[in-house]
Amino acid sequence: MPSNRQSAQRDTEFVEFVTAQRTALVRMARLLTAGDEPSAEDLVQTTLTRLYLHWPRVRRAGNPVGYARTSLTHAFVDEQRRAYKRREIPTDTLTEPATHDEDRDLAHAVLAALRTLAPRQRAVVVLRHFLDLDVAETARILGCTTGTVKSQNAKALDRLRTALEPGITLSTDKESA
Amino acid sequence: MNDLTALLERAAGPATAPVDAHADLTRGRRALSRTRRRRRALGLAGVATAGVVGLGATRLVDRGGDVTAESPASTTPTTETPWAPPGPDLTAGPYTFPPIPQGWEIQGHRAQVVTIAPVGFADQEPLSFPGKLVIGYDQNPPSGQRVEHDGRTFFVDTSGDTAKIAVQTRAGEPDGEVSIQYPTSTGWTVDDMVTFLAGVQVSPGAEPGLG
């Protein structure tokens, strides 16, 4: 059994991490869920609980932010799978997403465009364009090949353009990767 | 022109927000306590079930199974459903698969899934999956424990009430993952289910699930 000192160390380090990183994880989850606030919060809570459970391993790995991002992405994918398990007939009626940006229309348009993407495509967009991860790291997190990341990225950008234009013209320096 | 990264930055919401780390700490502590209690309970259960291993092993030997791969639930005869005997493959929509368990039937199929349930199962809705064996096809990255079988890597997750096993489709089949999910209460072994999934073929008419 772990000693009280070890437990206290785990708690202290975990609280420091959450204080520093929770908001960033919520933002990432908000994009993954395309603005579904309750789902985003659930994902973050799931991620942080897993992180606490595995904190000794997380500490040894020395990259808690990377661990949390990977765990959050996996939680998102897993949740999509569970949604598939209990999926009934899909509906186009979705909860109005919450945004906190001054330009709410623009934010809503982007979140609505993200909703048109398949979960894996959305994850690629978030990892590549929001977190600025390279193709190899994105592939590692998603457990797929770099070629799949590139093709999913290209398809996602096409879909985003279709959803956003002509009102919003999209540009990126990661067009083919 | 709008840079995608800048758009995502806006859509992600404010970069600063109040954080209650202690709520997360409380959830983490509770989860850790549950995990430790479960481990202790499993340790005790392991001692209790040792006495019935002989019975289970006899059945497994008859089927050529692997004792080490059997899930704990399969040692409970009251919840076990016999697996299917050898026989011709079945086809439902774009999916062809080995015989299904005795006493189970195909409830329905779509381009994304085949739903299989016990005969007379109360829930007759093919798109409702709890308590059923479901064959699905999607394009999500697989996750779970890796199991090698017949030159392919299967991803096994038996952590919850519903087990899930996924494997990449074969060359020539639609690109993605084919998977099965089933209630762990059936007691079906991972070996049996991996073998079953290995026999599932996906035709071009299959469409990836939305998940």
Side-chain angles (χ1 to χ4, degrees):
Chain A
M1 291 290 287
S3 67
N4 288 338
R5 191 179 60 78
Q6 286 172 322
S7 294
Q9 183 187 10
R10 177 201 291 247
D11 289 0
T12 302
E13 292 172 352
F14 179 75
V15 166
E16 286 175 359
F17 176 82
V18 172
T19 303
Q21 298 297 331
R22 195 180 205 285
T23 302
L25 292 173
V26 169
R27 299 181 82 221
M28 178 182 169
R30 190 174 287 132
L31 294 177
L32 285 172
T33 61
D36 184 338
E37 289 285 328
S39 294
E41 176 61 25
D42 283 350
L43 285 179
V44 171
Q45 289 184 13
T46 299
T47 298
L48 292 175
T49 299
R50 288 178 184 171
L51 208 69
Y52 183 83
L53 286 173
H54 301 131
W55 190 258
R57 189 194 312 165
V58 174
R59 183 197 298 125
R60 282 196 300 273
N63 181 17
V65 172
Y67 193 105
R69 287 173 171 177
T70 301
S71 182
L72 178 56
T73 305
H74 289 180
F76 168 67
V77 171
D78 289 347
E79 177 52 32
Q80 297 302 310
R81 288 182 183 281
R82 278 191 286 275
Y84 147 75
K85 284 180 184 177
R86 57 176 183 263
R87 187 175 63 236
E88 306 288 343
I89 302 299
T91 172
D92 290 330
T93 307
L94 295 172
T95 307
E96 183 68 12
T99 64
H100 306 276
D101 200 280
E102 291 178 359
D103 190 348
R104 296 178 69 89
D105 287 345
L106 182 60
H108 279 190
V110 174
L111 293 173
L114 286 173
R115 279 202 297 274
T116 69
L117 304 182
R120 173 183 276 191
Q121 292 175 349
R122 213 183 297 158
V124 167
V125 167
V126 172
L127 295 172
R128 290 284 290 122
H129 299 274
F130 180 64
L131 297 182
D132 199 26
L133 302 183
D134 61 25
V135 174
E137 179 65 2
T138 301
R140 189 193 65 75
I141 289 176
L142 289 173
C144 64
T145 65
T146 55
T148 298
V149 169
K150 291 176 182 177
S151 65
Q152 293 288 330
N153 184 54
K155 289 175 184 173
L157 292 179
D158 281 348
R159 279 201 181 190
L160 287 176
R161 286 200 170 92
T162 301
L164 290 170
E165 291 175 353
I168 300 170
T169 306
L170 206 60
S171 69
T172 174
D173 58 354
K174 305 183 186 97
E175 196 67 45
S176 60
Chain B
M1 296 283 274
N2 292 273
D3 179 66
L4 177 55
T5 301
L7 290 175
L8 293 172
E9 276 289 333
R10 286 191 176 197
T16 58
V19 170
D20 178 11
H22 286 87
D24 292 305
L25 178 61
T26 300
R27 276 187 288 271
R29 282 173 169 170
R30 284 177 182 158
L32 189 59
S33 295
R34 281 195 301 273
T35 300
R36 286 173 176 163
R37 276 200 305 272
R38 201 158 47 233
R39 283 177 185 162
R40 279 197 296 271
L42 282 173
L44 293 172
V47 174
T49 54
V52 297
V53 163
L55 176 65
T58 301
R59 184 181 56 75
L60 285 166
V61 167
D62 288 342
R63 296 194 334 221
D66 178 358
V67 174
T68 59
E70 182 163 22
S71 67
S74 64
T75 59
T76 309
T78 53
T79 61
E80 184 164 334
T81 303
W83 190 249
D89 281 356
L90 306 171
T91 298
Y95 302 92
T96 300
F97 45 91
I100 59 178
Q102 296 170 2
W104 289 54
E105 62 180 354
I106 299 170
Q107 273 197 335
H109 63 83
R110 299 286 189 276
Q112 299 85 3
V113 293
V114 179
T115 309
I116 300 160
V119 175
F121 196 64
D123 182 356
Q124 289 290 315
E125 168 52 56
L127 291 179
S128 174
F129 305 133
K132 303 177 185 178
L133 168 62
V134 181
I135 300 170
Y137 164 64
D138 62 54
Q139 294 181 327
N140 292 319
S143 61
Q145 185 180 354
R146 289 168 178 259
V147 173
E148 299 298 326
H149 175 86
D150 201 18
R152 301 167 79 190
T153 301
F154 293 73
F155 295 82
V156 179
D157 179 1
T158 57
S159 57
D161 294 337
T162 301
K164 174 148 187 163
I165 305 176
V167 64
Q168 187 166 15
T169 50
R170 301 177 182 83
E173 294 182 336
D175 183 38
E177 279 74 43
V178 60
S179 66
I180 53 171
Q181 60 184 49
Y182 57 94
T184 52
S185 60
T186 56
W188 297 334
T189 66
V190 169
D191 272 1
D192 274 343
M193 302 315 287
V194 166
T195 302
F196 176 78
L197 179 56
V200 176
Q201 300 168 53
V202 184
S203 300
E207 295 176 6
L210 295 179

